């Protein structure tokens, strides 16, 4: 039954369910391996799964490409977009907003924490000189911005937050192998809780594999993914701090 | 980037091909076919169907049964109108419903009928000219993308799904959309009627389907700010008829190649060469472009061994097209990127072939086909093969560039396959846009040697074909490794000798025009 | 629970379940569409599905690439390779086998049926001159082979089978859009049944999208997929006819 | 394919770079570092750990605490052995367990200690020579693939999973395997001990991990019939120590670039330039190759705007390497294919840069890095970017070719990502194997203009750096758009002035060798 708010994948004809898969199995190529790949695809809900490509991927491993027609459908009426909701403002509007509604400069401390040394992302948000033609937070006259750089231990970040009476902490996490970002991000919330500071700061995380949803799950206020612009972040901070201030 | 080709060898090729085409032309001029005559009827407005059977078919069958086809369907229709003071439609209706036996009517002579013929032709000629003008205006207002033009196919089998997919492709950058035809249609000796949703591996070519897609593409093109070309097949047993429908519905390109039908559809060679000539006259008049099918040879024959057959066939197709009144810029000769990807230095040979074709036919909108034969289920590898193909195309300045699909070996393209193909071409061609101008090819290298070798072999082959004639060459399996006999294949029973008083005012007009202007129906 | 005969997909670490998906949804790109893609992947059994790419694929459509970790595992002990089992013989062995065990030439009729005009595959199996260095059935001295070519109506094939007293029919089907091959193949078995001939011939189908399993489902004796060689087919025919002859 | 480069400008570059390197060398010669001294200890066989802390660290800390480091760790160790008639290990054990205070011992003069020093050095020197010989033999028996050599990374974080993935990659055609290091290791001021399974984004570089992987690759290489090279990082705070471990475990290439550490790890420039010199001496002696990190500049700076900084840095790295006794064939200068793929004619600029690097450093095994910065989640597009990169590499004859991964923007490579990358390179490079020889580049085209422009800018930059010195240039942010101060960053506290009687018999030996033979430890 396809109701109008149900959608399926689509290749050749609407709602045919066509999807492409690829994966490796720890089996040598052959009839059995192919059958295993087909089965796996069937378990994923594919009708008529077809293994269109099988090749040895090192001794004892095979790589597969599979096409098939996925039975599953998604009810779009049940979905909620899980990105941070932002009413974006312009550079000038943001400064004016802070000046008029909050009436003081906001203190924002940023760092790429743990052993992560990818600064390009957080610099894109922070740097004076800007990124892709948009100024970073350091340029905003109504924001005091500190960029602590990369490989900053959480303890140092918390100390800096305390020292600067930070309104918002911006944490960047790029390396995610074995969920290192998760343990690192969790450690920060624990430290802040332990210091009794958690309620006093807006806690924001960003990075290419970060979603707003993940951020919420980890006890952060917001998460920003790939393609984030400084204005989005600044708009969010200004509005959210004003909102909280209002009660 | 330029190859140093020997002009003397090129001249030999053209001369032999001219000879071959001349021989074929002699043969053609004396004959007509059922499809050609149906096309004439369609040009006179007979485009309806009765219980899904086109009136043009029924009409021609009646005339053929009465042994009258040698005089030309136009004659009988015009004579009917003249004698009975009826419209063409009225005459046709009566004939096919059995109410009227044309052979019982008095038979006016040609001179007497000329005003009637003139009147019957006029509306279609005007319509085609209008379409031509419309295209020219659109093109000069909106323009097209830079060459190579990006050509994609849609092939859902359902014209309405085709429209969705075509519109999506235009939004992604397609310059040209071809609606692929259902399997089997090429062997139908009639053109189906109305809109259709039940093709396999393609959608029926019908006038209504043409119209639906033309409308959708015009709209999508306006939105995208460029003119989008529409392509279908004037090919198979109904070549000339589909040419007419294409002209009426403003198709911009038509796959059109008798050799393809002979080799890959086992259509009788006499039949389809006759059909081809008239279809090309119509396409020429409509200001559209033909696409020839040499690329297909390399799906059955080896691209390294048999490359010269592609080149030879291009020369023949060029000469046949010129004889039908097409201009160079309307002759989209086909070739393809079909060398086994595992070959060391294979890319050098591909560059040689593509660049050679470019130089041999400098004004032709060369139709360059992507890898198909050596595509596999490995879509990642396939994406790269298409990438090198795209690179070769922009490097050598091809005209009409068919996009390769990652799933070529699996299914007719999904909407995302076309997306990936367009992204591939856009990226590679843009990133290497002027690379061709930067580089020159060593005269003593492998690329030059390959081009020289293929060209010389093509010349030798053409000279052999010129000697024995095209029919005999096809009987010997000289193209695509496939042998076909002169009297075998489908459709021979539809070939008829023209009477001395054969009447086909369109053909007369087009032949005359071609003689004077060299193709197209306007001032340029 | 991973028992040793259970396998999962594998990307970075054994049994991590890593798979890649791609598909199109009839939704314009945006937060909602991304969420729909994520949901679809979740339904397919992916943990931590991540939409790593979303792009407009024509108005109202988006194309997605998703990575995630598939929960499903396959029990290899339950699998049966579903390819035709063939004890392959050499060209000479096959001729000898037919001569010695069957004692008469086998009649084999081949065609690419329906509106399908792809002859390269069936020619590869049949042609005298062979394919990739291996001779086709026409070359076998103990096989009488007829290749009827392409676009052969089923009725003509059945008539030819009758005329030649065919031992085996080889049908090629390449075009598969909207399952045209299925209806075409089914029609042939029906015709053969109607003629009372089904039991007298070995009915074999081949093509790039044909599997042995599908062939069996359609009432064929065997199905051959991509990469089939003439020797495999000839070996199968010879042995199977001998086996049947034995009772 | 050849660019017409102005030799005068090249000479200006080399002269300025020589000047820059000479200045740095002056500075280096007067100083040592904790890591350098630990490396000396390791060369004398002190490679154990106590409760996971390397004995070399504990030993050096003790000496540093006693202000004795300026005399060289070798002196103190040898003196201990000499005075107490103990082995090096015995002395080290007693020192680090607090049983022995070296400063309390009588201090023999250098001449007296020379025989002891000799004896302490000998086993390691022999071991390194053995490894070198072993590699040479293998290479001459098994050989390597054709250049560009295919280089892949493994990065599971677990040495045993790394082995599986590396062995799979070898079966798929990899010539070189690099084990990527866990985040954070470069800032550790010690080398972890033993085999490890818990890295993030890479696996700890330890002697035991080196050994495990070396063994696996030797076996896989024997099976594949070729010698497979192993790579790790002599980089970060422990450059010279890892160079020693690499030499002992027969690593074939080491990423080794002080500038990388300064710019991307904020390591103090004094510290790491001193460390680099000794590490390069060791790598040179081991017959291995260094890989420099200029490619990384283009991940933070723009590849079109800042291409000349890469070229300038290559000249500096070359001169610094030559001063450390490396031969040209051991100097794997880095560069990268990092231009925004949406740029029209971007490929022309990539070809210009790659071909220029090839001609500027004709004997260097240039390390060519794939697109990383502009890779996205679109793995299909990424596969093509890698395809054009592979094409550029084979076209311009690069030496060491790092394979781009389709999932670069997503995760560390999966086993299939590496497979796809190897297939990509094999296909493109084989299909275009000799294309470079076929083509020549116009002197008045965009490619030539670009190369000339970048080279001239590099010359000007080098002349400025020569004037102000490398330290000042780094302070001004002239590389990778990153500013670093002379006394900032990590590890400055590990820098020590050498005493007049500084003792480092290895450095003496290597310096002497370099002076005479120009690098390597054998007859060639
Ligand atoms: C550049 C780069 C580097 C440079 C970093 C230079 C520097 N100073 O930053 C160098 C070469 C040094 C480097 C090294 C390494 N890298 Co790296 N690197 C990359 C690369 C190519 C691009 C990253 C980048 O700059 N993106 C551009 C920025 C603008 O995008 P972004 O980070 O997503 O940021 C945007 C948003 O996410 C958001 N955002 C980001 N942070 C924040 C924070 C806040 C608060 C907010 C609001 C928003 C926000 O806003 C930004 C602007 O829109 C990626 C691959 C790729 N193409 O993505 C690999 C990649 C990130 N690197 C990787 C790895 C593993 C490493 C190493 C660990 C490898 C090694 N062992 O040697 C090392 C060590 C680094 C370390 N210790 O962390 C992996 C990570 C894998 C994973 N998912 O775990 C990647 C994905 C490559 C790969 N596939 O293996 N790397
Ligand atoms: C060559 C080719 C053509 C040639 C055919 C020439 C000829 N004389 O055969 C030409 C150019 C004419 C052509 C035309 C069309 N083609 Co075509 N063509 C291909 C192509 C590129 C290669 C097929 C091929 O030759 N493979 C090589 C042979 C050796 O492999 P094989 O067929 O799999 O055969 C092997 C096995 O399967 C097995 N086998 C096959 N048959 C049998 C039978 C038996 C009994 C046994 C035992 C074994 C066996 O053994 C063989 C040897 O190992 C494929 C794409 C691709 N790369 O696969 C498209 C493809 C098959 N074509 C396709 C289509 C749609 C068409 C057209 C319908 C398009 C159109 N509307 O114009 C037309 C019309 C054809 C028609 N009426 O059927 C589609 C089919 C899609 C689908 N799954 O439904 C494909 C997949 C392309 C695509 N992605 O759209 N095509
Ligand atoms: C000239 C020509 N006609 C027709 C076709 C299509 O086949 P069919 O005639 O079956 O529609 C092609 C296929 O490429 C072709 O090149
Ligand atoms: C010279 C050099 N050292 C080291 C690294 C790796 O980084 P890390 O020092 O964090 O291991 C790189 C990365 O490309 C490099 O080029």
């Amino acid at each position: 039954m396809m109701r109008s708010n149900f959608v399926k994948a689509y290749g050749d004809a609407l709602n045919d369910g066509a999807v492409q898969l690829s994966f490796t199995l720890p089996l040598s190529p052959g009839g059995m391996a192919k059958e295993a790949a087909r089965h796996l695809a069937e378990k994923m809900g594919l009708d008529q799964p077809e293994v269109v490509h099988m090749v040895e991927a090192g001794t004892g491993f095979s790589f597969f490409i599979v096409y098939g027609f996925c039975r599953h459908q998604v009810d779009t009426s049940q979905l909620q977009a899980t990105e941070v909701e932002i009413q974006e403002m312009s550079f000038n509007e943001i400064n004016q907003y802070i000046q008029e509604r909050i009436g003081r400069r906001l203190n924002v401390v940023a760092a790429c924490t743990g052993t992560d040394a990818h600064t390009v992302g957080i610099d894109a948000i922070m740097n004076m000189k800007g990124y892709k033609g948009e100024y970073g937070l350091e340029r905003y006259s109504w924001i005091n911005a500190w960029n602590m750089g990369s490989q900053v231990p959480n303890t140092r970040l918390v100390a800096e937050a305390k020292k600067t009476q930070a309104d918002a902490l911006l944490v960047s996490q790029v390396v995610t192998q074995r969920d290192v970002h998760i343990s690192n991000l969790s450690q920060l919330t624990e430290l802040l809780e332990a210091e009794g500071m958690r309620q006093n700061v807006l806690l924001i995380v960003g990075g290419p594999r970060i979603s707003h949803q993940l951020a919420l799950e980890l006890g952060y206020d917001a998460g920003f993914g790939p393609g984030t612009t400084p204005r989005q972040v600044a708009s969010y901070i200004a509005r959210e701090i004003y909102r909280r201030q209002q009660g | 980037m330029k190859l140093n080709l020997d002009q003397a060898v090129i001249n030999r090729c053209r001369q032999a091909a001219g000879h071959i085409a001349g021989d074929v032309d002699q043969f053609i001029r004396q004959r007509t076919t059922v499809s050609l005559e149906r096309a004439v009827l369609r040009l006179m407005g007979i485009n309806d169907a009765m219980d899904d059977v086109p009136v043009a078919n029924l009409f021609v069958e009646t005339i053929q049964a009465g042994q009258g086809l040698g005089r030309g369907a136009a004659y009988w229709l015009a004579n009917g109108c003249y004698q009975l003071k009826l419209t063409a439609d009225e005459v046709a209706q009566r004939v096919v419903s059995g109410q009227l036996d044309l052979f019982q009517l008095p038979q006016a002579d040609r001179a007497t009928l000329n005003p009637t013929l003139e009147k019957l032709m006029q509306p279609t000629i005007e319509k085609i000219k209008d379409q031509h003008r419309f295209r020219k205006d659109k093109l000069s207002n909106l323009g097209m993308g830079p060459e190579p033009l990006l050509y994609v196919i849609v092939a859902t089998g359902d014209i309405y799904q085709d429209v969705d997919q075509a519109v999506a492709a235009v939004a992604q950058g397609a310059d040209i959309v071809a609606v692929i035809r259902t399997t089997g249609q090429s062997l139908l000796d009639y053109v189906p009627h109305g809109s259709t949703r039940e093709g396999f591996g393609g959608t029926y070519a019908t006038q209504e389907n043409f119209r639906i897609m033309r409308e959708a593409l015009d709209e999508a093109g306006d939105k995208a700010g460029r003119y989008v070309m529409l392509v279908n097949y004037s090919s198979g047993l109904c070549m000339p008829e589909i040419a007419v429908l294409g002209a009426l519905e403003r198709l911009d390109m038509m796959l059109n190649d008798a050799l393809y039908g002979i080799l890959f559809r086992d259509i009788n060679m006499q039949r389809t060469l006759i059909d081809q000539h008239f279809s090309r006259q119509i396409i020429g008049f409509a200001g559209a472009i033909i696409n020839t099918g040499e690329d297909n040879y390399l799906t059955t024959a080896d691209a390294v061994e048999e490359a010269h057959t592609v080149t030879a066939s291009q020369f023949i197709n060029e000469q046949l097209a010129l004889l039908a009144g097409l201009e160079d810029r309307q002759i989209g000769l086909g070739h393809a990127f079909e060398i086994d990807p595992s070959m060391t230095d294979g890319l050098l040979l591909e560059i040689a072939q593509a660049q050679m074709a470019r130089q041999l036919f400098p004004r032709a909108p060369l139709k360059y086909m992507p890898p198909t034969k050596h595509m596999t289920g490995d879509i990642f590898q396939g994406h790269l093969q298409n990438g090198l193909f795209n690179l070769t195309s922009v490097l050598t300045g091809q005209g009409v560039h068919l996009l390769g699909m990652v799933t070529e070996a699996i299914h007719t393209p999904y909407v995302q396959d076309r997306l990936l193909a367009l992204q591939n071409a856009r990226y590679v061609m843009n990133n290497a846009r002027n690379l061709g101008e930067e580089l020159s090819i060593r005269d003593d290298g492998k690329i030059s040697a390959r081009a020289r070798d293929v060209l010389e072999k093509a010349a030798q082959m053409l000279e052999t074909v010129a000697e024995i004639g095209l029919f005999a060459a096809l009987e010997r399996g000289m193209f695509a490794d496939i042998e076909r006999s002169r009297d075998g294949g489908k459709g021979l029973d539809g070939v008829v000798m023209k009477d001395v008083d054969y009447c086909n005012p369109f053909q007369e007009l087009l032949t005359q025009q071609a003689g004077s202007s060299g193709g197209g129906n306007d001032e340029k």
Side-chain angles (χ1 to χ4, degrees), chain A, chain B:
Chain A
M1 278 296 88
M2 291 284 304
R3 288 213 314 281
S4 67
N5 46 357
F6 278 89
V7 295
K8 287 179 79 175
Y10 159 47
D12 199 29
L14 211 60
N15 293 320
D16 56 19
V19 303
Q20 173 268 326
L21 299 179
S22 76
F23 51 81
T24 301
L25 290 179
L27 299 169
S28 293
M32 275 299 199
K34 199 167 180 174
E35 204 38 32
R38 242 177 45 73
H39 261 254
L40 183 59
E42 252 169 17
K43 288 200 167 175
M44 295 172 78
L46 263 54
D47 287 332
Q48 300 178 45
E50 229 187 306
V51 177
V52 298
H53 181 60
M54 167 172 68
V55 66
E56 181 155 48
T59 322
F61 298 102
S62 304
F63 174 62
F64 302 90
I65 300 176
V66 180
Y67 276 84
F69 304 97
C70 184
R71 284 187 291 277
H72 300 301
Q73 49 190 30
V74 174
D75 184 349
T76 53
S77 69
Q78 300 296 311
L79 298 177
Q80 318 173 354
T82 55
E83 278 158 29
V84 198
E85 268 171 57
I86 303 160
Q87 273 184 280
E88 233 175 284
M89 296 182 278
S90 72
F91 181 82
N92 289 332
E93 282 165 358
I94 295 168
N95 279 317
Q96 205 181 331
Y97 185 101
I98 301 173
Q99 178 176 19
E100 290 173 5
R101 309 227 185 167
I102 307 179
R104 63 176 177 85
R105 289 196 163 68
L106 297 179
N107 298 330
V108 177
V109 177
C112 182
T113 57
T115 54
D116 202 325
H118 291 88
T119 53
V120 181
I122 190 70
D123 287 350
I125 306 299
M126 298 296 286
N127 270 6
M128 181 70 80
K129 70 176 176 187
Y131 180 72
K132 294 199 175 162
E134 216 189 279
Y135 298 138
L137 269 52
E138 291 171 355
R139 188 78 159 230
Y140 285 71
S141 47
W142 284 83
I143 294 179
N144 296 320
W146 288 268
N147 185 349
M148 298 177 69
S150 73
Q151 302 195 304
V152 176
N154 281 322
T155 46
R156 261 192 60 212
L157 176 59
V158 172
E160 187 78 8
K162 202 181 269 175
K163 202 180 86 190
T164 59
Q165 295 195 296
D167 295 291
L169 292 188
L170 301 190
V171 180
S172 185
Q173 286 285 279
V174 177
V175 178
T176 58
Q177 201 191 28
R178 297 157 166 241
D179 289 340
V180 62
H181 59 310
I182 309 238
S183 46
N184 199 25
L185 290 169
S186 305
Q187 194 201 31
L188 177 59
T189 51
E190 283 161 23
L191 277 175
L192 287 171
E193 298 281 3
E195 297 280 330
M197 290 167 63
R198 177 64 191 87
Q199 299 316 313
N200 312 338
V201 291
L202 207 54
L203 190 55
I204 300 173
V205 56
R209 311 257 72 78
I210 301 296
S211 67
H212 184 47
Q213 209 176 357
L214 177 71
L216 297 181
E217 283 166 20
L218 295 174
Y220 284 62
D221 294 307
F224 288 85
T228 307
T229 63
R231 274 201 298 120
Q232 292 172 331
V233 181
S235 301
Y236 170 76
I237 294 174
R239 287 190 190 272
E240 184 61 19
I241 286 180
Y242 175 66
R243 198 185 61 76
R244 294 187 177 195
Q245 198 171 286
Q246 293 305 93
Chain B
M1 221 165 79
K2 234 0 193 187
L3 286 163
N4 208 339
L5 299 174
D6 185 344
Q7 189 58 43
V9 185
I10 301 176
N11 294 344
R12 276 168 56 205
C13 289
R14 243 186 207 100
Q15 206 176 345
H19 195 89
I20 296 163
D23 279 358
V24 170
D25 201 52
Q26 280 304 313
F27 181 89
I28 287 169
R29 287 180 187 282
Q30 305 163 29
R31 290 162 176 84
T32 182
T33 75
V34 287
S35 179
L36 193 160
E37 296 305 320
R38 296 194 301 258
V40 170
L41 292 174
R42 288 179 179 275
L43 283 166
M44 291 176 156
I46 310 298
N47 279 315
D48 260 351
M50 247 177 71
D51 301 329
D52 278 345
V53 184
V55 171
N57 277 69
L58 298 168
F59 192 101
V60 164
E61 275 164 30
T62 315
I63 298 175
Q64 197 180 12
Q67 309 289 337
L69 211 53
R71 196 147 181 194
Y75 173 82
W76 297 108
L77 183 62
N79 190 53
C81 294
Y82 174 77
Q83 303 295 350
L84 303 171
K85 308 285 174 255
L86 293 173
T87 66
D89 262 334
E90 287 163 347
V91 170
Q93 279 304 325
R94 290 175 200 203
V95 170
V96 304
S97 63
Q99 284 169 267
L100 170 62
D101 182 348
L102 286 174
F103 296 108
Q104 302 305 324
L105 293 178
Q107 297 178 10
D109 66 9
R110 174 67 193 267
T112 315
L113 288 186
N114 270 346
T116 311
L117 287 164
E118 188 72 17
K119 230 180 73 196
L120 289 172
M121 278 164 63
Q122 221 38 56
T124 306
I125 288 183
E126 283 315 315
K127 173 99 194 271
I128 294 175
K129 283 190 171 168
D130 281 353
Q131 291 286 33
H132 191 10
R133 236 183 327 260
F134 186 93
R135 179 195 296 119
K136 282 192 59 174
D137 290 352
K138 277 280 176 193
L139 274 172
S140 66
N141 290 339
L142 293 178
M144 298 254 334
E147 294 199 338
L149 296 172
L150 306 185
Y151 175 124
V152 297
I153 64 167
V154 295
T156 69
D158 173 336
I159 188 65
Y160 298 102
Q161 300 261 6
D162 281 346
V163 162
D164 280 359
Q165 302 233 358
V167 168
V170 171
Q172 298 301 324
D175 297 307
I176 306 177
V177 173
V179 180
I180 298 301
R181 224 156 50 157
T182 181
T183 62
Q185 177 167 9
S186 44
L187 298 188
L188 300 181
D189 213 339
Y190 64 92
V191 182
H193 194 75
S195 69
T196 70
R197 318 193 66 157
E198 59 285 309
F200 300 110
T203 305
Y204 281 98
T206 73
Q207 183 171 9
E208 178 61 8
N209 286 347
F210 288 1
R211 198 194 56 71
I212 291 170
M213 185 58 85
R214 177 72 275 171
E215 194 175 298
L217 290 184
D218 280 347
E219 199 183 306
D222 283 345
K223 219 165 124 186
R226 61 186 192 282
Y227 183 73
V228 179
M229 292 198 172
L230 173 58
V231 188
N232 211 296
Y233 299 76
S234 167
S235 179
L237 286 173
C238 296
M239 273 181 138
E241 288 175 88
I242 302 193
V244 172
L245 302 180
L248 290 171
E249 303 302 336
R250 192 164 29 86
L251 269 68
D252 306 287
M253 262 177 215
M254 307 230 76
L255 277 84
N256 176 273
D257 193 344
L259 290 168
Y260 173 85
I262 297 164
L263 298 168
F264 294 91
R265 290 294 166 271
D266 198 11
I267 294 176
N268 175 266
M269 56 183 85
Q270 306 181 32
R271 161 72 180 265
T272 191
L273 281 163
I274 301 164
D275 283 348
Q276 171 175 281
H277 182 71
F278 191 45
S279 69
R280 286 188 178 181
Q281 291 190 303
I282 296 160
I283 293 168
F285 180 70
I289 292 171
I290 60 163
N291 288 344
T292 64
E294 285 84 357
D295 45 281
N296 295 287
Y297 301 172
L298 305 181
T299 66
T300 52
D302 182 76
V304 175
E305 296 303 315
E306 303 293 322
H308 63 285
T309 64
V310 168
T311 307
S313 177
Q314 288 174 325
F315 277 110
I316 297 173
N317 252 324
E318 177 191 47
Q319 293 303 317
L320 287 172
L322 291 173
L323 284 177
L326 291 173
E327 293 178 27
D328 285 334
R329 63 166 177 85
Q330 295 181 290
I331 308 174
L333 299 169
H335 61 139
F337 186 97
E338 286 281 24
I339 292 175
D340 186 338
S342 70
M343 182 183 183
T344 303
D345 284 338
L347 187 63
L348 279 60
L349 307 196
E350 295 288 11
I351 291 173
Q353 187 77 16
Q355 180 61 27
M356 181 178 65
R358 183 64 291 165
Q359 291 178 220
L360 295 177
F361 310 101
R363 281 181 303 273
L366 291 180
K367 176 193 90 166
Y368 197 27
M369 279 284 284
T372 64
K373 179 181 185 168
H374 294 287
M375 294 291 280
T376 66
D378 185 351
I379 57 174
F380 294 99
Q381 162 69 19
H383 205 44
L384 289 176
Q385 291 170 228
N386 290 333
L388 290 192
F389 163 67
N390 292 340
L391 182 71
T392 305
S393 187
V394 74
L395 206 56
T396 58
Q398 301 299 313
V400 173
H401 179 86
L402 273 85
L403 291 184
M405 298 289 141
V406 290
T407 54
E408 169 64 27
I410 310 171
H411 48 237
T412 46
Y414 287 172
V415 64
Q416 63 262 38
D417 299 335
R418 232 174 274 109
L419 170 74
L420 293 177
L422 283 158
Q423 284 179 349
N424 185 332
R426 278 206 313 263
Y427 163 53
V428 172
M429 291 188 180
N430 181 55
N431 208 233
R433 180 59 67 193
N434 296 297
L435 186 57
E437 283 173 27
E438 292 285 314
L439 302 173
S440 51
I441 300 174
R442 256 170 78 162
D443 267 354
D444 59 348
K446 292 184 180 184
I447 296 178
S448 294
R450 169 69 179 177
R452 270 196 301 277
D453 183 47
V454 172
L455 186 60
E456 175 57 35
K457 283 204 180 115
Q460 287 173 13
M461 173 168 174
L462 284 165
E463 282 161 351
T464 308
V465 177
E467 221 165 274
I468 63 177
L470 184 60
F471 289 179
L474 288 164
E475 291 184 322
R476 291 195 193 168
M478 288 177 73
F479 297 93
D481 268 354
I482 297 170
E483 295 169 17
R484 296 299 183 198
S485 80
R486 196 177 304 242
D487 298 319
K490 291 128 189 164
L492 179 58
D493 52 1
V495 176
V496 172
M497 292 298 294
K498 290 179 181 170
D499 295 348
V500 278
D501 51 0
Y502 175 70
C503 162
N504 183 343
F506 288 96
Q507 194 153 43
E508 290 158 19
L509 174 79
L510 297 174
T511 307
Q512 203 179 353
Q513 280 218 342
S516 66
S517 79
N521 69 30
D522 62 5
E523 326 66 43
K524 277 135 251 160

